[in-house]
Amino acid sequence: MTASSAEPLFSTPRYAAEASRHSASRRIVVAQQARAAVALLDDPAPTLLLCLGETLTTSADQESLPSIETLYLRLQMLLERAEAGTRLYISGDESFLWHVYRLARHAGLLADEIELFKQGSRRRLYCVHCTHFQDIGEEGECNCVQCGVKLLVREHFSQRLGAYMGVCIDPDRPYAKAVQA
Amino acid sequence: MSAMIEVQVTDVRQLTPVVREFTFVALDGTLPGFSCGSHVQVVLPIEGRTLRNAYSLMSDPRETGVYRIAVRLQEASRGGSRYLHEQVRVGDRLRIGVPSNLFALHSQAHHHILVAGGIGITPFMAYLAELEARGASFELHYAYRSGLTDAYGDELRERLGERFHGYDAAAGQRLDCTSLFAGKPLGSHLYVCGPQRLLDELKLLASAHGWSAGRLHWEAFAAPEPGQPFTVELTRSGQRLQVPGDHSLLEALEAAGVEVPNLCRGGVCGQCTTRYLSGEVEHRDHYLGEQQRGEALMPCVSRGGCSGTLLLDL
């Protein structure tokens, strides 16, 4: 089993470095950290920034939400009333990006109307043995916190689940020696 | 086309002076099911040649056992629509291909905007049956000329109520394409069937309103435009063919017994893409990219240049 190769897998997400210049009738920027999204606000189309915690001292329309749950809810409400022609820009770690992405697709946005900007290293892992989701960092191996199987983190990413696939690393000794806390 | 079906005409209705509707049933067994937006090729043995014209199936996909098409008589026709209008009678037999769909409903759309120009209403007749049965959210915009290209207009107005928006050119009414994009919910998809200029205008507007190309679905059937006669050589079989100005390359190949897989016969589906080795090509398709055009062409619409020979990898 080779976990590394020169070419990334087709399913491994690629993230943009800067916003495209697609025309939009309205833009929504969703950011875990407002500071990281400053460059995304520079566009002539009406733009709303939705972020967590601190706000920016710019003239752009912005709303700061006190928690991640309220941010998701607020975005859902906005998308329900949004019109076709809206584009979405998401900035944050991979767990956040793909949660928001799936929410937006469900609301009717198409894949090419959503742009993703990755910050930080948190990402979501899906245990293919017990279907549990957990957040991990850049590590290539970890233990499933639900079933305890020692997992290899594959670079294969599921957009539908918003997660990387974790598979048993050693079928002869599936469980990690140490008991999980 | 491999699979052909023998059908019998069981009904013919003249809907307007230029639109005629035909109902087919299978001579043997049953007709294959189809999804809304599908079309079939109809084999038309006109004088001296055989045409295969594609027509949208407009019957309700749930109504199994029959196919219905509606045909507009084309002024500058190569004879296919004239043959259907003037020669085909109830009880006649015809050969048709199996249905294929290049214009399907988008499965995740929340709201469907249908835009028909004239005879472009036909695929939407099947769409409307499907959308009504699903209880889906939709609106129909139908641009026509009353007394000429307004087939099904009265019926649809009554059936669809406020979801029907008609624009009668004879009364000076025009479809304002910009209005189609204003205030539409996020999950909207727009489908257009009609003349090329309508399609081009909608494409431009969609992009200007920030709609991704994936929200716009279109179908435009047009007979291949005539051109200059040219010569083609098939490298594998060594055959040399003269393609007359009013035949497409695909038709000339078929007449010579060379079968090339094809579906739309209108330059959009890519099915008939054929490699060429040398020669001048006049590309007329809407499918191949610039790079592919260097070595491939779509014989259903594209032609060779009149000087020199086009060398095909066939």
Side-chain angles (χ1 to χ4, degrees), chain B residues 13 46 58 142 169-170 180 218 239 293 306:
Chain B
R13 290 202 298 158
I46 64 165
M58 47 153 296
Y142 184 14
L180 297 174
W218 49 275
Q239 287 184 84
R293 287 186 170 184
C306 40

Side-chain angles (χ1 to χ4, degrees), chain B residues 5-139:
Chain B
I5 310 168
E6 297 277 334
V7 294
Q8 187 158 38
V9 179
T10 56
D11 195 16
V12 178
R13 290 202 298 158
Q14 188 78 35
L15 299 175
T16 78
V18 296
V19 179
R20 219 165 155 82
E21 181 199 270
F22 299 86
T23 305
F24 302 143
V25 301
L27 270 182
D28 269 327
T30 54
L31 292 171
F34 67 96
S35 49
C36 65
S38 297
H39 68 271
V40 291
Q41 290 182 12
V42 180
V43 179
L44 303 165
I46 64 165
E47 229 182 273
R49 65 194 290 196
T50 300
L51 291 176
R52 296 184 192 183
N53 287 4
Y55 294 103
S56 294
L57 291 175
M58 47 153 296
S59 36
D60 182 344
R62 277 149 225 261
E63 188 188 348
T64 55
V66 299
Y67 288 166
R68 257 193 297 279
I69 62 170
V71 180
R72 160 152 201 191
L73 179 64
Q74 301 293 345
E75 308 295 342
S77 159
R78 303 186 310 156
S81 65
R82 189 164 297 279
Y83 178 85
L84 279 162
H85 270 253
E86 293 172 1
Q87 307 286 323
V88 175
R89 308 257 178 273
V90 170
D92 285 355
R93 293 173 179 198
L94 285 170
R95 283 169 70 224
I96 64 172
V98 293
S100 55
N101 198 338
L102 302 171
F103 190 49
L105 272 180
H106 192 276
S107 66
Q108 282 154 23
H110 301 175
H111 181 67
H112 307 267
I113 305 159
L114 317 181
V115 185
I119 193 63
I121 192 67
T122 52
F124 295 134
M125 296 303 289
Y127 263 61
L128 291 166
E130 177 73 26
L131 291 170
E132 284 190 309
R134 286 190 196 178
S137 164
F138 69 89
E139 59 194 68

